[in-house]
Amino acid sequence: MGAEAGEPSSILRAYPVQRAPALCGVWGRVSVASLTLACAMRGGRDPNSGPSGHRRLAAAFSYGVASMAMVFVNKAVLMQYVHSMTLLTLQQIATALLIHFGQVLGMSKRKDFSLITAKKLLPVSIFYNANVGFALASLKGVNIPMYIAIKRITPLAVLVAGCMRGKGKPPTQVILSVICTATGVLIAALGDFSFDLYGYRMALTSVFFQTMYLILVEKSGAEDGLSSVDLMFYNSILSLPFLFFLIIATGEFPHSLTVLSAKAASLTFSVILIISLVMGIVLNFTMFWCTIVNSALTTTIVGVLKGVGSTTLGFVLLGGVEVHALNVTGLVINTFGGVWYSYAKYKQKKKTPRKIQHDVESHAHK
């Protein structure tokens, strides 16, 4: 998944690889590693020999469906199986095994495992898993529309952290859009009949760890030159010791396995669980495909539309949400802020098309 034969290596250097946490696809976030590598792969091609319109549409549609489905699949599992850390551990094991056997069967390629690279990626992996672990825990108590709304305030946290680190002031539209997004969350929370303090705390803690993760990736640049498959494999392998410690320390293990064995007798639960375990791979593949046959902008737009669709479906699926005027108003404001934010970042990039933006908040909310 590097540069194509005959392409200069400077192409990859022109697109520093950074990755938002999409590995398990818990909230269907866009992977900048995939986007930048895909852009590099598209760079040397004849635009007139591109894929057909039907293939472009199929790629965009597949990514949108996979991205939207991930949140609902995880929510469906957690409604029946509350041991979120064990679920995350199983997802990481499944990811590592699928990538390994995919390489053995010649279906995928990845670089050989390197201890030096693993050492660089270890802190990133720890923050990533803390982020995803708290996000899964929040889904046990927070309805899907509110979960998506809370996760959209990550850009605000990244902007605040950037100011504290002495980074330059972002464009006014970016600042206003993230304030709009955060205001929508506060209004929606006031009208949330199913308000769950524990779930809100878990979601906000997830935002904190996601912010730290993004800052660490931006600061270290440790992921340069790694493909999406490489990143998923390293993250899965490095996550397992950390996750095994957590499920033992928190008392989930071995009770969680006993519960899982009992639940596995249900065909419906087993099917949903298997889908949850493989969705991370499916999500990253469809996202990479969409970027290659379309563009990074198309993938970003699909991500925004997916968020709108997930919020709407969240009102009626998996138990639904009791409607309150404040809740709906807040979610509309929050969604508008998310769309506005994406537009503001798009305009910012158009003004500096040749400049690489080391601004990881540009993909933190999708």
Side-chain angles (χ1 to χ4, degrees), residues 145-361:
M146 281 307 305
Y147 167 80
I148 295 171
I150 293 172
K151 294 298 292 185
R152 283 200 188 110
I153 68 174
T154 302
L156 176 60
V158 174
L159 286 180
V160 172
C163 292
M164 294 175 64
R165 294 167 54 218
K167 291 185 65 175
K169 180 183 176 182
T172 302
Q173 283 207 42
V174 172
I175 296 175
L176 293 177
S177 65
V178 296
I179 292 175
C180 175
T181 302
T183 301
V185 172
L186 294 176
I187 296 174
L190 292 175
D192 185 8
F193 283 118
S194 61
F195 182 87
D196 183 284
L197 181 59
Y198 172 81
Y200 272 70
R201 286 206 309 262
M202 293 298 99
L204 291 172
T205 305
S206 173
V207 168
F208 167 77
F209 279 111
Q210 183 182 345
T211 302
M212 296 302 295
Y213 168 87
L214 293 171
I215 291 173
L216 185 61
V217 169
E218 178 188 33
K219 186 176 180 180
S220 67
E223 297 175 332
D224 288 5
L226 297 175
S227 71
S228 182
V229 173
D230 290 324
L231 291 171
M232 285 191 289
F233 187 74
Y234 272 104
N235 186 74
S236 299
I237 297 298
L238 295 173
S239 298
L240 292 178
F242 175 68
L243 291 173
F244 282 135
F245 170 78
L246 280 182
I247 61 176
I248 293 173
T250 57
E252 278 197 17
F253 182 85
H255 176 66
S256 58
L257 294 185
T258 304
V259 175
L260 183 63
S261 298
K263 292 284 186 180
S266 167
L267 179 60
T268 301
F269 175 80
S270 297
V271 170
I272 296 175
L273 178 62
I274 292 173
I275 293 174
S276 173
L277 297 182
V278 302
M279 270 308 283
I281 296 287
V282 174
L283 177 63
N284 279 274
F285 171 78
T286 55
M287 173 197 51
F288 194 72
W289 182 33
C290 178
T291 307
I292 290 175
V293 302
N294 291 291
S295 66
L297 177 60
T298 299
T299 305
T300 302
I301 293 173
V302 172
V304 174
L305 295 177
K306 174 270 306 178
V308 176
S310 297
T311 300
T312 304
L313 291 175
F315 277 101
V316 296
L317 296 181
L318 301 178
V321 179
E322 190 173 353
V323 178
H324 186 283
L326 274 177
N327 190 243
V328 174
T329 301
L331 289 173
V332 170
I333 294 173
N334 175 267
T335 302
F336 172 76
V339 175
W340 184 10
Y341 178 82
S342 296
Y343 175 72
K345 294 303 295 184
Y346 169 63
K347 285 186 64 178
Q348 181 184 0
K349 287 186 177 182
K350 281 193 69 176
K351 290 180 181 178
T352 54
R354 303 298 296 178
K355 180 182 177 182
I356 299 302
Q357 305 255 348
H358 294 286
D359 191 7
V360 293
E361 78 266 23

Side-chain angles (χ1 to χ4, degrees), residues 17-36:
V17 179
Q18 297 179 339
R19 179 178 177 78
L23 304 181
C24 283
V26 174
W27 47 83
R29 191 161 285 104
V30 175
S31 163
V32 172
S34 294
L35 300 189
T36 51

